[in-house]
Amino acid sequence: MAISLFDIPLQHSHFREDFLKRVGEVLDSGQYILGKHVKEFEEAFAEFLDVDHAIGLNSGTDALFFALKLLDIGPGDEVICPAFGFIATVDVILRVGATPVLVDVDPVTYCIDPAKIEEAITEKTKVVIPVHLFGRACDMTRIMELAESKNFEVIEDVCQAAGSQVDEDFCGTFGRFGCFSFYPTKNLGGLGDGGMLVTKDKGLYEKALKLRDHGRSPITGDFEIIGYNSRLDVIQAVYLDMKIEDLEESNIDRIETARLYDRLFSGSEVVTPEFLDDTSHTYGLYTIQVRDRDRLQTFLKENGIGAGVYYRRGLHREPALEKLGLTRGPVPVTDALSRKVLSLPCYPSMKRLNVERVAEVVLDFLQRNESFDRRRR
Ligand SMILES: Cc1ncc(COP(=O)(O)O)c(C=O)c1O
């Protein structure tokens, strides 16, 4: 039986009937842009995170872009972010005219290394964007200490980590802003694009409400600033409002799958994500490191198993960015990881049998490889 990297229809199947009923209500309501449904989801999201304000947007990318705009970041400013990650984090910095400074990540967490942030700070540094990668929380305690002592703002990229925590607090609630994505494969995935910006700052929240709706004040209806069209879609809001009720449980499900993989791989040469505690990793992706990664990916495919490479190269090596010289020096951890990482299927309601099958095929490949290597020696 085929096992895909993400089984999104399986995740949606629990909500199908309730969702179709609610879509009927939206159809009859005549309210298709913003309004009650978006507001209800924003309130549920803010309550879940225990944060004051949440603003529904059309994507996680716009959440990051708006966060930078709201802090007036622009030409001459430097924004530090990790070299290992997704391009959206960097392209928004370029879009506001600021300079991205890409630094290396920690070899254990794969998240931005606070020591590398410290090395990269200059008098132009205005913002640091920690990315909670694959569901793993960054070292927010150290990063917030640095923010305080070095005087920069923190915008958390939580696109891959909805529901991850540092002790009692949720990722996205430490910095000035938290930016979330509802891209279908995410921990809180919708049925298309969507995103959320959260903040404790009332003034910035009120400005964000205008920015997402062409600069229009929700109170006076006047166009008070130049804005954008970046409203969270009503159908997405209706769907996500149901799904958020299940987020904690579905994350626990992911964590249990990850623990099972950990056990199945223990004693082998597979480098599994380091277990630190129960809440700081929600396994948006279960990412291992192996030698011969590309051949293993092909072998898995031949056995009907989907696996993904996130990411095949550091952002400084992406064709769109490589000529810009965005690193200040070598980023060896990023370069090493990008040669070895492979993400395995890990999603809520994944059958134990399927997890065991994936692990069996991985271990079988490594064993064959080992005997092949021995024969060559
Ligand atoms: C780390 C990270 N940042 C930003 C984004 C952008 O989110 P969206 O696709 O909702 O624009 C993503 C989504 O893939 C992501 O993984």
Side-chain angles (χ1 to χ4, degrees):
M1 213 208 23
I3 305 170
S4 53
L5 176 57
F6 305 104
D7 192 342
I8 301 170
L10 173 70
Q11 292 174 48
H12 291 325
S13 61
H14 309 299
F15 305 102
R16 189 185 171 85
E17 267 176 45
D18 201 10
F19 174 63
L20 292 176
K21 196 171 127 244
R22 292 197 201 189
V23 167
E25 284 165 21
V26 173
L27 277 181
D28 295 339
S29 75
Q31 173 81 56
Y32 309 130
I33 301 286
L34 296 178
K36 169 177 172 283
H37 293 292
V38 174
K39 185 100 193 100
E40 276 172 7
F41 174 52
E42 288 170 340
E43 284 170 4
F45 198 84
E47 196 184 318
F48 179 88
L49 291 181
D50 194 18
V51 71
D52 296 339
H53 308 290
I55 306 116
L57 303 175
N58 72 9
S59 64
T61 307
D62 267 13
L64 290 161
F65 175 59
F66 279 23
L68 291 167
K69 290 292 271 185
L70 288 159
L71 294 174
D72 283 325
I73 303 304
D77 297 332
E78 289 178 358
V79 179
I80 298 174
C81 67
F84 190 59
F86 186 59
I87 196 162
T89 318
V90 179
D91 69 34
V92 290
I93 303 169
L94 292 165
R95 229 193 311 159
V96 297
T99 305
V101 178
L102 306 185
V103 302
D104 213 353
V105 293
D106 179 276
V108 172
T109 64
Y110 310 170
C111 289
I112 194 163
D113 182 343
K116 302 295 171 194
I117 296 177
E118 206 166 354
E119 279 169 28
I121 291 170
T122 70
E123 73 276 7
K124 293 182 185 165
T125 304
K126 294 286 159 46
V127 175
V128 171
I129 309 185
V131 179
H132 304 287
L133 200 72
F134 305 153
R136 165 87 76 186
C138 297
D139 182 352
M140 291 314 297
T141 310
R142 182 71 194 119
I143 293 170
M144 295 313 294
E145 277 167 12
L146 274 176
E148 180 87 27
S149 64
K150 305 288 182 183
N151 200 26
F152 57 75
E153 292 279 0
V154 174
I155 297 172
E156 295 176 69
D157 183 336
V158 206
C159 289
Q160 299 186 5
S164 299
Q165 288 172 259
V166 178
D167 301 324
E168 297 296 298
D169 296 310
F170 283 100
C171 294
T173 63
F174 292 86
R176 181 74 58 193
F177 293 107
C179 304
F180 294 81
S181 167
F182 306 128
Y183 187 85
T185 56
K186 305 297 189 199
N187 284 25
L188 185 59
L191 305 172
D193 278 312
M196 190 73 84
L197 183 66
V198 304
T199 185
K200 294 175 189 149
D201 189 315
K202 188 160 185 279
L204 292 173
Y205 163 68
E206 285 168 355
K207 193 164 177 202
L209 289 177
K210 296 177 197 168
L211 264 194
R212 77 164 170 192
D213 191 23
H214 301 287
R216 184 174 7 221
S217 158
I219 297 159
T220 64
D222 292 337
F223 296 101
E224 294 179 353
I225 56 173
I226 299 298
Y228 302 85
N229 176 356
S230 181
R231 301 169 293 230
L232 178 66
D233 184 74
V234 173
I235 299 289
Q236 299 304 330
V238 166
Y239 183 69
L240 292 161
D241 197 32
M242 292 173 357
K243 219 178 165 194
I244 197 170
E245 286 177 26
D246 187 53
L247 179 60
E248 206 179 333
E249 209 170 301
S250 65
N251 279 345
I252 290 173
D253 221 351
R254 288 175 187 274
I255 293 167
E256 281 171 2
T257 297
R259 288 291 80 77
L260 178 55
Y261 273 132
D262 290 351
R263 286 197 297 278
L264 293 166
F265 289 134
S266 108
S268 78
E269 64 173 278
V270 174
V271 180
T272 55
E274 184 89 5
F275 175 74
L276 297 179
D277 60 60
D278 276 333
T279 56
S280 66
H281 203 329
T282 51
Y283 302 93
L285 289 169
Y286 183 88
T287 303
I288 59 170
Q289 292 180 59
V290 274
R291 71 195 159 99
D292 279 333
R293 181 263 322 273
D294 292 336
R295 283 183 50 229
L296 171 57
Q297 189 183 17
T298 307
F299 187 73
L300 285 163
K301 195 171 170 202
E302 285 162 4
N303 282 276
I305 296 169
V309 178
Y310 304 95
Y311 295 92
R312 198 165 282 285
R313 54 177 82 88
L315 289 163
H316 58 301
R317 297 190 190 280
E318 288 295 349
L321 303 177
E322 66 180 338
K323 291 199 187 69
L324 302 179
L326 301 179
T327 48
R328 294 261 163 81
V331 283
V333 180
T334 294
D335 287 334
L337 285 174
S338 52
R339 283 191 293 273
K340 290 190 270 185
V341 283
L342 187 67
S343 300
L344 302 178
C346 179
Y347 44 79
S349 309
M350 186 170 170
K351 290 199 179 79
R352 188 187 172 97
L353 218 68
N354 287 350
V355 183
E356 286 168 350
R357 171 74 187 141
V358 175
E360 181 187 60
V361 176
V362 170
L363 293 172
D364 179 28
F365 170 83
L366 294 174
Q367 215 166 23
R368 287 174 195 224
N369 235 13
E370 205 178 294
S371 36
F372 176 73
D373 284 354
R374 258 202 310 269
R375 278 203 308 277
R376 281 206 310 193
R377 263 185 244 132

